[in-house]
Amino acid sequence: MACQQQQQQQPSAQSLGKMNLEEYFERIGFHDSFDKLDLATLKLIHKQHVMSIPFENLSMHSGGRNVMDLDATFNKIVRSRRGGWCLENNFLFGWVLREMGYDTTSLGSRVFNSVLNDFGPLDSHFLNKVVIDGKVYITDVSFGVSFQIWEPLELISGKDQPQAAGVFRLTDKGDIWVLEKTGRKPEVLNPEFAKSGLVNRKENNLIFCFSLVPREAEHFLEINNKLQTETSLFTNKSICSLQTPTGFRALIGWTYGEATYKPDEGVDVLDIRNIADDEIEQILFEKFNLKLQNKLQPLNNKSFYTF
């Protein structure tokens, strides 16, 4: 999906009104009716969101901060045409679903840590559960890169659920559910990155685990602060990722890459290169349709994260 080449401006205080669905739908390019609160409509807005709104943590690397405030998140993502991380994107998406009338419950999840070979100790990832005609679905519009689902997953244990990025699978472990993905082999075009740690070579990956205990925004206030003030993936790396009709694109520090999914060939083609400081602003605008208020200070310290 080509990013719209349009000037982005921060809204003035006078222009900030009440949050509304119409502005959100315009942001994601959704122009259909939502008279039917069915699975087809949910799938469509889920996919439109991940194709239009980046997963990114650039505020904290450009003099800003991510806050757990719905009005501020709406203004940032919708009106200022920015992206956000899961505590913003999925927080906003949960509000959208409730405003539309979907039976929606917010959940917390613990992300798998490859270094520890275990799930993290705290709920650092925000999810939403939706019930439609007695069936339960998990939505997640903000994980990014190759682990991003494009459509909701039905909450059925052990069922293979193929999507563009690979085959996703939810498993009921009793007190928790676990999400894993079976992907494809990477085909790296640039020989400089043939052995890079940014390339995920595992075909089977655990992603996160979660319980079905309802969570309010307050549940995430502590982790929202920790992830920005203590050493974490997000303090170590500046990240921006956007899904495309054929895969995804991502900027990690000074490394820009585009992934093209080729399931018929059993590979994901990765075109990765390093870019210079003076290319950053152009890449953000042309590839992610982002224009930051302040200059980004790219960062790519050692911390496990892959395309």
Side-chain angles (χ1 to χ4, degrees):
M1 178 182 295
C3 290
Q4 297 176 348
Q5 300 298 302
Q6 60 185 34
Q7 183 68 29
Q8 300 177 41
Q9 297 180 342
Q10 297 295 323
S12 65
Q14 291 78 13
S15 70
L16 297 181
K18 185 178 179 181
M19 297 187 303
N20 63 85
L21 287 175
E22 288 72 22
E23 284 186 81
Y24 170 80
F25 289 151
E26 186 278 330
R27 175 72 175 92
I28 67 169
F30 176 76
H31 305 295
D32 294 356
S33 167
F34 60 93
D35 295 335
K36 292 184 178 180
L37 297 177
D38 54 14
L39 180 58
T41 301
L42 178 62
K43 284 183 175 181
L44 182 56
I45 61 169
H46 192 290
K47 188 172 183 179
Q48 288 291 107
H49 188 116
V50 301
M51 296 282 171
S52 305
I53 300 176
F55 168 79
E56 52 107 332
N57 69 332
L58 304 184
S59 289
M60 57 192 293
H61 296 288
S62 57
R65 179 175 173 80
N66 296 334
V67 296
M68 285 293 297
D69 179 272
L70 194 54
D71 286 288
T73 298
F74 186 92
N75 290 332
K76 174 185 175 181
I77 292 177
V78 176
R79 291 173 173 150
S80 296
R81 306 189 74 83
R82 283 284 305 281
W85 61 2
C86 75
L87 298 177
E88 297 171 295
N89 269 313
N90 282 324
F91 189 19
L92 174 64
F93 196 64
W95 172 82
V96 168
L97 296 178
R98 292 182 184 93
E99 282 292 297
M100 291 178 69
Y102 280 104
D103 180 355
T104 306
T105 304
S106 295
L107 308 174
S109 72
R110 297 184 288 127
V111 177
F112 187 76
N113 186 315
S114 296
V115 177
L116 300 176
N117 196 35
D118 198 0
F119 297 101
L122 299 174
D123 284 345
S124 61
H125 190 59
F126 195 114
L127 301 171
N128 288 293
K129 180 188 76 172
V130 181
V131 180
I132 302 174
D133 296 331
K135 293 185 177 181
V136 181
Y137 301 89
I138 299 297
T139 72
D140 180 5
V141 295
S142 196
F143 204 93
V145 292
S146 62
F147 298 118
Q148 179 62 60
I149 59 172
W150 288 6
E151 297 179 345
L153 297 171
E154 188 172 1
L155 193 65
I156 295 181
S157 184
K159 178 183 178 181
D160 286 351
Q161 302 190 53
Q163 294 198 13
V167 178
F168 292 89
R169 190 177 306 104
L170 289 163
T171 304
D172 185 357
K173 297 290 187 179
D175 56 340
I176 61 169
W177 285 77
V178 172
L179 175 63
E180 60 185 317
K181 175 198 149 187
T182 300
R184 296 174 288 269
K185 294 179 180 179
E187 180 181 309
V188 183
L189 300 182
N190 188 341
E192 293 182 20
F193 289 89
K195 296 183 179 180
S196 171
L198 287 170
V199 177
N200 179 23
R201 295 174 179 81
K202 291 177 60 179
E203 291 187 39
N204 295 299
N205 292 269
L206 294 172
I207 302 177
F208 55 69
C209 70
F210 60 96
S211 77
L212 299 180
V213 177
R215 302 296 188 189
E216 300 295 331
E218 291 73 21
H219 178 72
F220 300 95
L221 291 177
E222 180 182 357
I223 195 66
N224 182 73
N225 181 63
K226 281 179 174 289
L227 291 175
Q228 297 179 83
T229 58
E230 300 178 9
T231 300
S232 72
L233 165 66
F234 299 106
T235 58
N236 279 334
K237 294 183 186 292
S238 55
I239 300 167
C240 186
S241 166
L242 182 66
Q243 303 298 299
T244 70
T246 56
F248 67 89
R249 52 180 67 123
L251 177 65
I252 304 171
W254 294 267
T255 304
Y256 176 72
E258 296 187 359
T260 302
Y261 297 147
K262 294 193 173 182
D264 293 341
E265 299 175 26
V267 299
D268 292 341
V269 179
L270 300 178
D271 189 4
I272 309 172
R273 64 184 175 92
N274 287 322
I275 61 176
D277 276 323
D278 59 8
E279 294 181 84
I280 296 287
E281 187 175 344
Q282 181 181 2
I283 288 287
L284 286 175
F285 186 63
E286 292 183 353
K287 301 298 185 179
F288 303 96
N289 200 21
L290 294 182
K291 188 173 179 62
L292 305 182
Q293 280 188 299
N294 302 313
K295 182 177 175 59
L296 176 67
Q297 302 296 325
L299 197 61
N300 191 14
N301 290 338
K302 187 175 182 180
S303 186
F304 188 80
Y305 190 73
T306 64
F307 281 92

